[in-house]
Amino acid sequence: MTAHYEVRGPVAVITLDNPPVNGLGFATRAAVAAGVERAEADPAVTALVITGAGKAFSGGADIKEFGSPKALAEPNLLSLIALVEACSKPVVAAIHTVCMGGGLELALGCHYRVAQSGTKVALPEVKLGLLPGAGGTQRLPRALGVEPALNMIVSGEPVEAQMLAMVPGQRLFDKIVDADVLDAAVKFAEEVSEKRPCPKVRDLKARHPNAEAYLQFARNMVGGMSKNFPAPLRCLETVANAVNMKFDDGMRAEREGFMALMMTPESKALRHLFFAERVASKIADVPEDTPLRTVAKVGVIGAGTMGGGISMNFLNAGLPVTILETKQEALDRGVATIRKNYESQVKKGKLKEDKYAQRMALLSTTLNYADLKDCDLIIEAVFEEIGVKEAVFKQLDEVAKPGAILASNTSTLDVDKIASFTKRPQDVVGMHFFSPANVMKLLEVVRGKATAKDVLATVMAIGKKIKKTAVVSGVCDGFIGNRMIEQYSRQAGFLLDEGCTPQQVDKAVEKFGFAMGPFRMGDLAGNDIGWAIRKRRYVDKPGMKYSASSDRLCELGRFGQKTGAGWYDYQAGKRDAIPSPVVDELLKKHRESIGAKTRDISDEEIVHRLVFALVNEAAHLLEEGIAQRASDVDMVYLTGYGFPIWRGGPMCYADTVGLFNVVQAMKRFAKNPMDDGAFWTPAPLLARLVAEGKSFT
Ligand code: T1G
């Protein structure tokens, strides 16, 4: 269905009906246009109402159509809105729930607007790297005023209708109702049907003589936001046209701006991420209506940094948590850390005192496993050693109630092996949080061979409830994120062997947009973590090549910020990374010891060796079924590893570069004797996509 037509007395009612949010796709646009023409031609009809079925008036243009000819097929949104505005009979928009993007632009083309109190209204195009492209930048300032309109368009944030109705002189809403908005709109339409509607296009300059001063101030403000995103500043200039240009000229400029932004890599990345974030929660073989297990009480084992952070996620979501430790002082320390974290949020005004108290009231502690017997979900965050995990899961198997979900926060250990320590492997799953667990959005949900589908569905729903981006991973060493980061780190080490300094690599990567380069990241997380993994690798995978520079560093006890020195030097109590003469000397000796042939290496080679290493390893993960889809990999890297959002993630970036070009670069890297040539053999999936002229996303 796309739109319904009915007549109520003398009023024609056209109802958008394109679930889930009445995206204004071609079929819907065509049906609405047909309805307007039908009402126009019917002498018994004196006015029209347009409204939306279901959970939205309209979520805007159908972004699923973007990039397809349908998006521009006539009537496109501009033509539809022009048809509505030119209608000889008054058209009233009956707005409820959500009215966004092209949906609001359609409503702005109507002659009157009646909105239900509480309706969320927005022009969020800027969040997709776009600007409102169907008249929003020209009509909203005329209906609402330049400043409030500009704030809405540049922020993309929703505002409640009744708040906007309070703006002095606004003409956006003619009526705000608490009752049924369709009934109110039909009644309103009957009242105005005697009036000759005319489009409200007024000269804004006269109404806003000081607009230029405000716009100049806004330019300075917005200029800072646009470092990596062209859309905000383009939005501002297009709104400025509403003041400085005639309506038709402003509309032409808006269209040019919209089409230009549509082609930018930043907008393609943001549109990719809009869907990537939503599809990540879907699991191919788990129906979306799988009944969920009830989770009303959570147990956390381990009150250390991870256990405390994990607990806070559930307390923040209003779920009671019992933390278990082996010693009282460890419990006390853990609770004190949680309290300190909340208190610092209260000090910053990010958390109200009463909320803080409510959350702490939900927290209980124990030294006794029996106290976890009523928990519906128990997450262990104990020492990363399989023997310790075995002891914990054997105890849980004894005390946890039937149907309780038993989750491990392990970052690398085998979830299937952990499940085998219990008589209920179907209830065991990995929930890999990223440190700090109460801050980082990423949650890797690790699916064991035996993990039940309802357990997966429940954990994904819990992930959404605690505001995480949950991504399903299969069982392998490092799951998705850490298995890829190992290849990234190997390349970083080889670059040091070949003559780069840690700061040169970090600067190149941070200029590309990563929040932090590999060596600053190592110093923050602790270089000893990678050292422990390499020691395991030297035994498990003796063929895997690494630069020994990291081992030389760790042998000096330079684990990073926690030891006051790592790849960089640090002043006491400070986190500023200072290039280290000790490290320079260490690298010089190390290069001599391996007979390294050093050379100047460009920033582009640095970035491409690190990022394409991620991409090639991810292609293997996709083939092995560890990751469900390339966009999931992008979500992992955006929400867990600081990958620049305006590049859309490693897989989206590889598509932007072109997979053919990625493979050509990999062939060049493979010839480098200082590198691990074998690694650069393109994964079969990558080779196949290039051969077929396809892309990851
Ligand atoms: N088009 C198509 N599908 C959409 C959609 C849209 N505009 N918005 C949401 N969906 C799908 C979404 O993919 C998901 O699908 C389902 O709806 C529920 O979404 C010319 C060109 C509307 C506030 O940017 O902000 O108009 O996964 O999980 O939390 O100027 O979706 O179920 O298959 O987010 O209740 C501008 C984006 C478009 C609005 C609902 N509009 N959407 O939130 O549900 S550009 C937007 C949202 C434009 C014009 C330009 C939210 C929502 P599935 P959801 P929700």
PDB file of all heavy atoms in Angstrom, residues 273 276-277 280 442 469 471 630-640 648-649:
ATOM      1  N   LEU A 273      25.936   4.228   6.951  1.00  0.00           N
ATOM      2  CA  LEU A 273      25.920   3.943   8.403  1.00  0.00           C
ATOM      3  C   LEU A 273      24.512   3.982   8.964  1.00  0.00           C
ATOM      4  O   LEU A 273      24.197   3.270   9.921  1.00  0.00           O
ATOM      5  CB  LEU A 273      26.841   4.918   9.138  1.00  0.00           C
ATOM      6  CG  LEU A 273      28.304   4.719   8.788  1.00  0.00           C
ATOM      7  CD1 LEU A 273      29.160   5.762   9.460  1.00  0.00           C
ATOM      8  CD2 LEU A 273      28.762   3.318   9.132  1.00  0.00           C
ATOM      9  N   ALA A 276      23.520   0.577   8.227  1.00  0.00           N
ATOM     10  CA  ALA A 276      24.424  -0.384   8.885  1.00  0.00           C
ATOM     11  C   ALA A 276      24.052  -0.532  10.356  1.00  0.00           C
ATOM     12  O   ALA A 276      23.985  -1.645  10.886  1.00  0.00           O
ATOM     13  CB  ALA A 276      25.877   0.076   8.760  1.00  0.00           C
ATOM     14  N   GLU A 277      23.762   0.584  10.997  1.00  0.00           N
ATOM     15  CA  GLU A 277      23.435   0.555  12.434  1.00  0.00           C
ATOM     16  C   GLU A 277      22.148  -0.239  12.656  1.00  0.00           C
ATOM     17  O   GLU A 277      22.031  -1.004  13.598  1.00  0.00           O
ATOM     18  CB  GLU A 277      23.259   1.983  12.947  1.00  0.00           C
ATOM     19  CG  GLU A 277      23.127   2.065  14.458  1.00  0.00           C
ATOM     20  CD  GLU A 277      23.165   3.494  14.965  1.00  0.00           C
ATOM     21  OE1 GLU A 277      23.104   4.437  14.153  1.00  0.00           O
ATOM     22  OE2 GLU A 277      23.268   3.661  16.194  1.00  0.00           O
ATOM     23  N   ALA A 280      22.514  -4.167  11.737  1.00  0.00           N
ATOM     24  CA  ALA A 280      23.416  -4.944  12.613  1.00  0.00           C
ATOM     25  C   ALA A 280      22.631  -5.755  13.636  1.00  0.00           C
ATOM     26  O   ALA A 280      23.065  -6.832  14.052  1.00  0.00           O
ATOM     27  CB  ALA A 280      24.393  -4.006  13.319  1.00  0.00           C
ATOM     28  N   LEU A 442      30.301  -0.165  21.514  1.00  0.00           N
ATOM     29  CA  LEU A 442      30.342  -1.475  20.858  1.00  0.00           C
ATOM     30  C   LEU A 442      30.160  -2.619  21.851  1.00  0.00           C
ATOM     31  O   LEU A 442      30.748  -2.637  22.921  1.00  0.00           O
ATOM     32  CB  LEU A 442      31.673  -1.658  20.120  1.00  0.00           C
ATOM     33  CG  LEU A 442      31.862  -3.006  19.413  1.00  0.00           C
ATOM     34  CD1 LEU A 442      30.765  -3.256  18.388  1.00  0.00           C
ATOM     35  CD2 LEU A 442      33.224  -3.062  18.746  1.00  0.00           C
ATOM     36  N   THR A 469      25.786  -0.634  20.547  1.00  0.00           N
ATOM     37  CA  THR A 469      25.658  -1.135  19.183  1.00  0.00           C
ATOM     38  C   THR A 469      26.115  -2.584  19.230  1.00  0.00           C
ATOM     39  O   THR A 469      27.310  -2.852  19.357  1.00  0.00           O
ATOM     40  CB  THR A 469      26.533  -0.323  18.212  1.00  0.00           C
ATOM     41  OG1 THR A 469      26.085   1.025  18.201  1.00  0.00           O
ATOM     42  CG2 THR A 469      26.449  -0.900  16.807  1.00  0.00           C
ATOM     43  N   VAL A 471      26.825  -6.201  17.831  1.00  0.00           N
ATOM     44  CA  VAL A 471      27.160  -6.850  16.555  1.00  0.00           C
ATOM     45  C   VAL A 471      27.474  -8.316  16.843  1.00  0.00           C
ATOM     46  O   VAL A 471      28.252  -8.621  17.752  1.00  0.00           O
ATOM     47  CB  VAL A 471      28.384  -6.172  15.901  1.00  0.00           C
ATOM     48  CG1 VAL A 471      28.759  -6.896  14.605  1.00  0.00           C
ATOM     49  CG2 VAL A 471      28.100  -4.699  15.627  1.00  0.00           C
ATOM     50  N   ALA A 630      29.474  -7.007   5.704  1.00  0.00           N
ATOM     51  CA  ALA A 630      30.546  -5.994   5.695  1.00  0.00           C
ATOM     52  C   ALA A 630      30.143  -4.778   6.532  1.00  0.00           C
ATOM     53  O   ALA A 630      30.965  -4.205   7.243  1.00  0.00           O
ATOM     54  CB  ALA A 630      30.862  -5.589   4.264  1.00  0.00           C
ATOM     55  N   SER A 631      28.855  -4.412   6.490  1.00  0.00           N
ATOM     56  CA  SER A 631      28.442  -3.233   7.259  1.00  0.00           C
ATOM     57  C   SER A 631      28.562  -3.486   8.765  1.00  0.00           C
ATOM     58  O   SER A 631      28.772  -2.550   9.534  1.00  0.00           O
ATOM     59  CB  SER A 631      27.014  -2.822   6.883  1.00  0.00           C
ATOM     60  OG  SER A 631      26.105  -3.874   7.176  1.00  0.00           O
ATOM     61  N   ASP A 632      28.474  -4.749   9.180  1.00  0.00           N
ATOM     62  CA  ASP A 632      28.715  -5.048  10.610  1.00  0.00           C
ATOM     63  C   ASP A 632      30.161  -4.727  10.976  1.00  0.00           C
ATOM     64  O   ASP A 632      30.454  -4.197  12.040  1.00  0.00           O
ATOM     65  CB  ASP A 632      28.451  -6.528  10.898  1.00  0.00           C
ATOM     66  CG  ASP A 632      26.975  -6.860  11.025  1.00  0.00           C
ATOM     67  OD1 ASP A 632      26.148  -5.969  10.786  1.00  0.00           O
ATOM     68  OD2 ASP A 632      26.657  -8.013  11.364  1.00  0.00           O
ATOM     69  N   VAL A 633      31.080  -5.081  10.076  1.00  0.00           N
ATOM     70  CA  VAL A 633      32.498  -4.793  10.334  1.00  0.00           C
ATOM     71  C   VAL A 633      32.690  -3.288  10.484  1.00  0.00           C
ATOM     72  O   VAL A 633      33.405  -2.809  11.366  1.00  0.00           O
ATOM     73  CB  VAL A 633      33.374  -5.335   9.182  1.00  0.00           C
ATOM     74  CG1 VAL A 633      34.832  -4.926   9.362  1.00  0.00           C
ATOM     75  CG2 VAL A 633      33.250  -6.854   9.094  1.00  0.00           C
ATOM     76  N   ASP A 634      32.015  -2.537   9.626  1.00  0.00           N
ATOM     77  CA  ASP A 634      32.110  -1.073   9.728  1.00  0.00           C
ATOM     78  C   ASP A 634      31.584  -0.597  11.076  1.00  0.00           C
ATOM     79  O   ASP A 634      32.219   0.261  11.727  1.00  0.00           O
ATOM     80  CB  ASP A 634      31.338  -0.405   8.580  1.00  0.00           C
ATOM     81  CG  ASP A 634      32.094  -0.507   7.251  1.00  0.00           C
ATOM     82  OD1 ASP A 634      33.332  -0.706   7.291  1.00  0.00           O
ATOM     83  OD2 ASP A 634      31.464  -0.401   6.191  1.00  0.00           O
ATOM     84  N   MET A 635      30.463  -1.165  11.531  1.00  0.00           N
ATOM     85  CA  MET A 635      29.917  -0.739  12.825  1.00  0.00           C
ATOM     86  C   MET A 635      30.899  -1.057  13.949  1.00  0.00           C
ATOM     87  O   MET A 635      31.096  -0.271  14.872  1.00  0.00           O
ATOM     88  CB  MET A 635      28.576  -1.426  13.099  1.00  0.00           C
ATOM     89  CG  MET A 635      27.420  -0.942  12.249  1.00  0.00           C
ATOM     90  SD  MET A 635      27.325   0.845  12.040  1.00  0.00           S
ATOM     91  CE  MET A 635      27.058   1.367  13.713  1.00  0.00           C
ATOM     92  N   VAL A 636      31.558  -2.220  13.869  1.00  0.00           N
ATOM     93  CA  VAL A 636      32.555  -2.586  14.896  1.00  0.00           C
ATOM     94  C   VAL A 636      33.663  -1.535  14.939  1.00  0.00           C
ATOM     95  O   VAL A 636      34.033  -1.039  16.013  1.00  0.00           O
ATOM     96  CB  VAL A 636      33.160  -3.978  14.587  1.00  0.00           C
ATOM     97  CG1 VAL A 636      34.440  -4.221  15.403  1.00  0.00           C
ATOM     98  CG2 VAL A 636      32.146  -5.078  14.871  1.00  0.00           C
ATOM     99  N   TYR A 637      34.136  -1.119  13.763  1.00  0.00           N
ATOM    100  CA  TYR A 637      35.286  -0.199  13.759  1.00  0.00           C
ATOM    101  C   TYR A 637      34.924   1.235  14.077  1.00  0.00           C
ATOM    102  O   TYR A 637      35.745   1.999  14.591  1.00  0.00           O
ATOM    103  CB  TYR A 637      36.093  -0.353  12.453  1.00  0.00           C
ATOM    104  CG  TYR A 637      37.205  -1.310  12.769  1.00  0.00           C
ATOM    105  CD1 TYR A 637      36.940  -2.670  12.913  1.00  0.00           C
ATOM    106  CD2 TYR A 637      38.455  -0.859  13.140  1.00  0.00           C
ATOM    107  CE1 TYR A 637      37.904  -3.545  13.346  1.00  0.00           C
ATOM    108  CE2 TYR A 637      39.429  -1.727  13.574  1.00  0.00           C
ATOM    109  CZ  TYR A 637      39.153  -3.073  13.680  1.00  0.00           C
ATOM    110  OH  TYR A 637      40.117  -3.924  14.150  1.00  0.00           O
ATOM    111  N   LEU A 638      33.656   1.573  13.813  1.00  0.00           N
ATOM    112  CA  LEU A 638      33.235   2.945  14.146  1.00  0.00           C
ATOM    113  C   LEU A 638      32.932   3.071  15.627  1.00  0.00           C
ATOM    114  O   LEU A 638      33.197   4.077  16.247  1.00  0.00           O
ATOM    115  CB  LEU A 638      31.990   3.304  13.331  1.00  0.00           C
ATOM    116  CG  LEU A 638      32.313   3.581  11.873  1.00  0.00           C
ATOM    117  CD1 LEU A 638      31.116   3.339  11.010  1.00  0.00           C
ATOM    118  CD2 LEU A 638      32.822   4.992  11.711  1.00  0.00           C
ATOM    119  N   THR A 639      32.371   2.041  16.216  1.00  0.00           N
ATOM    120  CA  THR A 639      31.903   2.168  17.613  1.00  0.00           C
ATOM    121  C   THR A 639      32.885   1.568  18.611  1.00  0.00           C
ATOM    122  O   THR A 639      32.734   1.752  19.802  1.00  0.00           O
ATOM    123  CB  THR A 639      30.539   1.442  17.792  1.00  0.00           C
ATOM    124  OG1 THR A 639      30.698   0.079  17.405  1.00  0.00           O
ATOM    125  CG2 THR A 639      29.463   2.091  16.949  1.00  0.00           C
ATOM    126  N   GLY A 640      33.917   0.874  18.106  1.00  0.00           N
ATOM    127  CA  GLY A 640      34.847   0.242  19.054  1.00  0.00           C
ATOM    128  C   GLY A 640      36.292   0.633  18.864  1.00  0.00           C
ATOM    129  O   GLY A 640      37.126   0.403  19.735  1.00  0.00           O
ATOM    130  N   GLY A 648      32.910   6.101   6.890  1.00  0.00           N
ATOM    131  CA  GLY A 648      31.923   5.029   6.848  1.00  0.00           C
ATOM    132  C   GLY A 648      32.388   3.695   7.369  1.00  0.00           C
ATOM    133  O   GLY A 648      31.640   2.730   7.375  1.00  0.00           O
ATOM    134  N   GLY A 649      33.666   3.579   7.765  1.00  0.00           N
ATOM    135  CA  GLY A 649      34.182   2.285   8.238  1.00  0.00           C
ATOM    136  C   GLY A 649      35.175   1.740   7.218  1.00  0.00           C
ATOM    137  O   GLY A 649      35.184   2.165   6.056  1.00  0.00           O
TER     138      GLY A 649
END
